Amino acid sequence: MKGSTLLLELLKDYDVEHVFGLPGETSIPYYPELAGLHVITRDERNAVYMADAYARVSFKPGVVEGPSVGSPYMLPGVIEAYKSSSPVIVITTDTDLYGEKMNMLTSLDQTALFRPYTKDSITVTRADDLSHAVRRAFRLATAGRPGPVHLRIPSHVLEEEGSITLPPQREFSRYPAQRPVADQDAIRLAVSALLDSVNPVLVCGQGALYSRAWDEVAELAELLGTPVGTTITGKGCISEYHPLSIGVVGGRGGTSFSNSFLEEADLVFLVGSNADSANTDRWRYPSRSKTLIQLDVSEAEVGNNYNAISLIGDVKATLREIIKELRSRGVRRREIRVNRKEFDSRIEEVAGVRGDRVNPVRFIKELERRVEDQVIVADPGVGAIYTSALFRTRKAGRHFIFNYGLGGLGYSIPASIGAQLGSGRQVLAMSGDGSFGFSAGELETISRLRSDVVVFLFNNSSYGWIRAEMRVQGRDVRGTDFSSLDYVKIAEGFGLRAYRISTDEDIGDVVEQAMRTTPSLVEVVVEPEDRFFPPVAHWTRSLPGDVKHVY
């Protein structure tokens, strides 16, 4: 069969239901074959974001394709997936491989482009090699630390005849594909450290979500009577209404309440967290003086930033062994509750602050009361920081997606499309006006697909995060402001229902209406972050007294 048909059959063998991408000349041979799977997008980077979010909620690799000319524009999305350990299969078509030497239009060294930010970059030179290449791509994407894999396919390979030379490894159509367990001696050492500690705390990162280990996290916490925090990307590892939950910790989404537990702890157990600068506020929470245990499937991350008892293995499988070892030593469940009353009272006070624009804290708390099983995807800025810190999720599981692997703007709108297709649930995209400029074209995609998506666009007429950082550093605020735009009219032009919230009193009714009439966009008019400071740990320590909110 032709290479294009062969590729389609191989993707179906791996249970692929959607391929995100947009047309280009080098990809024309396989478009008839992909017709039933293709989700046509408006930008190559956004197509990768869709595949990334799809992978995070579906626990299947996201698949994205792009033509040779579009391959450089896919790279920002690929880097986000790589930094976030998201399993994405990136397929790019190409001219004849020698074409670059002859200055053929659109030719470039795709392998050099993608190799640093993928688990592998595989060039297919014959149709007969497609089955080996696809098999390798899915295995690498889903095994060990998940991540993107690049498949480079010259156009002639799609036209020539080939056959399946190796059968698919269907167990790698989902992740975790296999669950390696940490060394038993290391597990016993970690359990002894936990039992010897007086005030331990668990901190769960996105690796615990990828492993679907939220039941084990709750069981371990209850067994030890241990408070549980999460990183911003690990939000959802435990219900934040659980009596042991302290919410998000660190520098992005952490509060004085949650971080205080890390300051007082004598042992911190990092569960599926790479302990990066954002998740730890530059290694302040926890400090490097603490006793640390770190569990991760990646040998590159365990002990990378802290001197820790090292557990290399799948989170869910290894936590089961830790729980088993604890029970064998006669440990019984301890009844302890986290006291949130004072903190919650402070948040209510901040939510009650009145101004000329919408209070973002009140907005988030009003939204929290109306969310049931939706997925929330948030861009850096107002959408992410208030949601991560102050929105309390009722259920454990994958209900939030934050792109804090790299942290670029423009993620939430395209990612909402992938998340909706991957979950089958309503998705709330928390964008900002800065992010909107990166991805506004995908409103047409949302409209065309009739996606069950609500875009909340926080309009502060600026790059508000940068304004705040400039002010905290004592610098003049420059180069951050936008002209006034009518986002309601823009959204309506793309075919969405559109609403505007300008005062706190409008929040409840408009949110409910927008969630009933998807696809929709809600413009939320707020102050920039340098005027209504959000809960960012290093800002809170540096703010002048007249603008400080106590989080």
Side-chain angles (χ1 to χ4, degrees):
M1 65 183 80
K2 279 193 172 184
S4 57
T5 305
L6 181 56
L7 179 61
L8 177 67
E9 292 302 313
L10 290 165
L11 293 178
K12 287 183 176 178
D13 281 338
Y14 283 92
D15 196 27
V16 173
E17 297 176 306
H18 302 287
V19 177
F20 303 91
L22 67 163
E25 290 181 5
T26 54
S27 304
I28 286 173
Y30 67 31
Y31 286 135
E33 311 293 345
L34 288 179
L37 307 179
H38 215 188
V39 179
I40 304 300
T41 70
R42 301 302 296 264
D43 178 90
E44 290 90 348
R45 178 183 63 163
N46 292 337
V48 185
Y49 285 159
M50 292 178 201
D52 174 9
Y54 177 90
R56 298 196 203 196
V57 298
S58 69
F59 297 95
K60 297 165 56 178
V63 181
V64 60
E65 64 82 26
S68 177
V69 69
S71 59
Y73 307 104
M74 302 172 80
L75 193 59
V78 174
I79 297 174
E80 176 61 51
Y82 182 71
K83 298 286 285 185
S84 294
S85 301
S86 186
V88 175
I89 308 297
V90 183
I91 302 172
T92 60
T93 53
D94 204 351
T95 62
D96 291 341
L97 294 180
Y98 197 73
E100 184 187 357
K101 309 301 181 186
M102 301 174 66
N103 299 322
M104 185 175 288
L105 186 64
T106 80
S107 289
L108 71 153
D109 189 346
Q110 294 182 13
T111 301
L113 190 70
F114 288 100
R115 180 177 283 153
Y117 301 106
T118 55
K119 293 184 75 173
D120 198 6
S121 179
I122 306 164
T123 300
V124 182
T125 57
R126 304 182 307 154
D128 279 343
D129 293 335
L130 277 167
S131 60
H132 182 279
V134 171
R135 175 182 163 112
R136 179 176 176 83
F138 276 85
R139 185 174 67 253
L140 289 177
T142 59
R145 174 185 176 179
V149 178
H150 174 226
L151 280 174
R152 180 185 189 184
I153 308 176
S155 198
H156 71 83
V157 173
L158 300 172
E159 299 276 29
E160 69 184 38
E161 295 293 317
S163 59
I164 294 177
T165 57
L166 279 171
Q169 295 174 290
R170 289 188 173 88
E171 66 269 32
F172 297 103
S173 62
R174 282 169 170 73
Y175 70 95
Q178 296 187 6
R179 294 187 181 273
V181 178
D183 177 76
Q184 288 296 325
D185 287 341
I187 288 173
R188 285 189 283 270
L189 181 62
V191 167
S192 294
L194 285 167
L195 292 176
D196 289 343
S197 64
V198 176
N199 194 20
V201 175
L202 302 184
V203 175
C204 300
Q206 186 164 232
L209 288 178
Y210 281 155
S211 186
R212 288 180 270 188
W214 39 85
D215 290 341
E216 287 73 18
V217 167
E219 185 176 351
L220 177 61
E222 291 163 5
L223 190 60
L224 294 171
T226 304
V228 181
T230 76
T231 66
I232 183 171
T233 52
K235 189 178 177 75
C237 289
I238 191 169
S239 164
E240 289 171 325
Y241 281 84
H242 191 287
L244 290 171
S245 171
I246 60 175
V248 172
V249 301
R252 292 291 189 274
T255 63
S256 59
F257 168 75
S258 61
N259 286 334
S260 70
F261 286 84
L262 299 185
E263 290 179 333
E264 296 165 7
D266 63 336
L267 180 148
V268 178
F269 186 2
L270 301 173
V271 181
S273 169
N274 65 0
D276 68 13
S277 62
N279 290 332
T280 62
D281 193 19
R282 294 182 179 269
W283 307 285
R284 185 184 183 103
Y285 306 111
S287 73
R288 287 181 166 131
S289 64
K290 305 287 184 184
T291 299
L292 271 293
I293 303 169
Q294 188 172 10
L295 165 60
D296 201 277
V297 76
S298 171
E299 71 281 1
E301 303 302 342
V302 173
N304 187 48
N305 287 323
Y306 289 95
N307 182 28
I309 297 171
S310 298
L311 300 171
I312 301 174
D314 173 75
V315 171
K316 186 181 184 76
T318 302
L319 287 185
R320 288 245 58 89
E321 291 299 310
I322 289 174
I323 292 167
K324 181 179 175 181
E325 176 69 17
L326 283 165
R327 293 193 185 282
S328 75
R329 300 195 193 186
V331 177
R332 295 183 179 180
R333 176 172 173 169
R334 291 193 280 174
E335 295 290 344
I336 296 177
R337 298 181 65 88
V338 168
N339 185 354
R340 296 179 52 95
K341 288 184 179 178
E342 182 181 347
F343 175 70
D344 288 343
S345 177
R346 292 204 306 267
I347 297 307
E348 287 181 14
E349 289 180 13
V350 178
V353 173
R354 298 291 178 143
D356 296 331
R357 299 187 177 193
V358 175
N359 180 325
V361 176
R362 178 167 175 181
F363 176 87
I364 289 299
K365 301 310 285 186
E366 293 272 6
L367 185 67
E368 178 189 310
R369 286 193 280 271
R370 291 164 174 83
V371 166
E372 297 177 359
D373 196 38
Q374 287 91 338
V375 177
I376 293 178
V377 186
D379 276 301
V382 172
I385 202 63
Y386 288 104
T387 303
S388 61
L390 305 179
F391 188 108
R392 293 177 69 190
T393 178
R394 291 176 175 80
K395 299 178 182 178
R398 176 60 91 175
H399 301 284
F400 298 88
I401 301 176
F402 301 97
N403 64 317
Y404 269 99
L406 187 64
L409 298 183
Y411 180 83
S412 69
I413 290 176
S416 69
I417 299 168
Q420 203 280 316
L421 290 171
S423 68
R425 294 181 274 163
Q426 186 176 81
V427 177
L428 311 180
M430 314 290 273
S431 183
D433 48 357
S435 287
F436 184 80
F438 286 77
S439 53
E442 301 305 340
L443 293 185
E444 187 277 328
T445 310
I446 290 174
S447 179
R448 172 168 30 90
L449 298 178
R450 306 307 299 166
S451 298
D452 190 6
V453 168
V454 182
V455 176
F456 291 104
L457 192 158
F458 295 96
N459 177 10
N460 56 24
S461 301
S462 67
Y463 290 119
W465 191 277
I466 304 304
R467 287 181 61 95
E469 188 63 40
M470 287 176 173
R471 186 170 180 189
V472 166
Q473 293 183 18
R475 301 176 187 272
D476 293 338
V477 174
R478 296 179 182 273
T480 61
D481 294 344
F482 307 144
S483 59
S484 178
L485 298 177
D486 191 331
Y487 293 103
V488 168
K489 287 184 178 179
I490 292 170
E492 289 173 341
F494 279 107
L496 278 69
R497 300 285 184 90
Y499 309 88
R500 179 179 290 113
I501 299 176
S502 301
T503 67
D504 292 345
E505 287 71 25
D506 295 336
I507 296 172
D509 289 344
V510 174
V511 166
E512 290 176 5
Q513 190 173 359
M515 291 166 69
R516 290 194 304 265
T517 58
T518 58
S520 57
L521 179 144
V522 180
E523 178 187 1
V524 185
V525 183
V526 295
E527 296 284 4
E529 286 94 315
D530 66 311
R531 295 177 188 155
F532 197 109
F533 275 89
V536 180
H538 79 278
W539 289 355
T540 302
R541 293 191 297 269
S542 307
L543 294 179
D546 61 328
V547 296
K548 186 176 294 185
H549 300 302
V550 181
Y551 294 106

